Amino acid sequence: MKISAQVRLAPGNSVAERIACLAETGFEAVEVHSDAVDHVSEYRRALAAAGIPALSMCPAGRSLDLVADEYSQRRRIDQVRRAIDACNELGITALISVPVRGALPPDIVAADEADSYVRALEQLAPHAEAAGVTITVEPLNRYEMHLVNTLADGIAIAARVGSPRVKILADVFHMNIEEDNTPASIRAAADWIGHVHLADNQRAHPGTGATDFSAVFNALRDIGYAGSAALECRMRGDPAEALRQCATYLRAARG
């Protein structure tokens, strides 16, 4: 299991400087955002220079959210296919998928949204399988999304798709809000977790709040999770020093 961080969290005036900073501060991999689709060569050079892999890709905005009207959904499916191709070029194995955000709109039925999301993922699954990229459905807390809030919600979606390349993401911050017991929920989702996001209970970097990350890593170890766990949070204080302290803290918590 590799300790990772989003490139955007690091200080620097270029992609190369930010990735180099993450490598220098002790991270073992990076998570890019989907704007990297248009800069694959730049990211490939930066990763090679820093000697660190990119293992996951996160949406840069809402353009990859797949629950939308028919016309928009077709366009978004095409954009996700482009993201899968970029992941394949960069050696990235996990592409994060958020279906929709915010509260349930008036006159919309959540079950219809779930059906729409499953249909979109069914169209994308063969492309992901051919590229060797796992689409990971990310549950968000109830204040940020109405459709998929818990790991069980995510599993219900992924199970309907029935592809080995459609799994779920376990985000420790959102789990602190929605799950009764984060380590127990991780163990219960053992066969489905394809990626992990790390943030403390107040969404600052791990080690600044109340989350027991040793218990989180123990649960991930128990289920044989071998992917990356990526930092997605706010950094407190000087970014480079906070990243260094956080990487040290996470490696100790991982054991």
Side-chain angles (χ1 to χ4, degrees), residues 219-234:
L220 291 169
R221 186 178 298 107
D222 287 346
I223 67 171
Y225 178 72
S228 61
L231 202 61
E232 184 191 48
C233 61
R234 298 188 305 267

Side-chain angles (χ1 to χ4, degrees), residues 32 43 45 49-50 52 86 97 105 107 154 161 199 212:
V32 307
Y43 275 85
R45 289 193 300 270
I52 191 171
S97 175
D107 303 321
V161 180
D212 184 348

Side-chain angles (χ1 to χ4, degrees), residues 7-155:
V7 174
R8 289 184 178 184
L9 296 178
N13 296 316
S14 67
V15 166
E17 289 182 3
R18 290 173 178 172
I19 290 176
C21 176
L22 291 177
E24 291 164 3
T25 51
F27 287 90
E28 301 157 345
V30 305
E31 178 167 292
V32 307
H33 281 80
S34 55
D35 49 11
V37 168
D38 297 317
H39 307 280
V40 168
S41 295
E42 180 182 6
Y43 275 85
R44 187 186 293 114
R45 289 193 300 270
L47 293 164
I52 191 171
L55 295 179
S56 52
M57 178 183 287
C58 186
R62 300 190 177 195
S63 65
L64 302 186
D65 294 5
L66 288 168
V67 175
D69 60 274
E70 184 179 355
Y71 166 75
S72 175
Q73 188 177 69
R74 289 199 302 269
R75 174 170 49 81
R76 290 161 189 258
I77 287 171
D78 287 341
Q79 290 173 329
V80 174
R81 285 197 182 100
R82 286 190 65 221
I84 290 171
D85 290 339
C87 287
N88 178 261
E89 289 186 64
L90 290 170
I92 290 170
T93 54
L95 173 64
I96 297 159
S97 175
V98 176
V100 65
R101 303 172 203 241
L104 181 68
D107 303 321
I108 297 295
V109 178
D112 291 341
E113 290 185 320
D115 291 345
S116 176
Y117 188 39
V118 168
R119 287 193 298 270
L121 291 173
E122 286 173 339
Q123 294 176 63
L124 289 162
H127 199 73
E129 290 167 11
V133 175
T134 299
I135 299 171
T136 58
V137 177
E138 180 172 16
L140 304 182
N141 70 74
R142 74 196 79 169
Y143 308 109
E144 298 184 42
M145 191 203 332
H146 62 274
L147 188 61
V148 183
N149 301 130
T150 65
L151 297 194
D153 293 339
I155 291 170

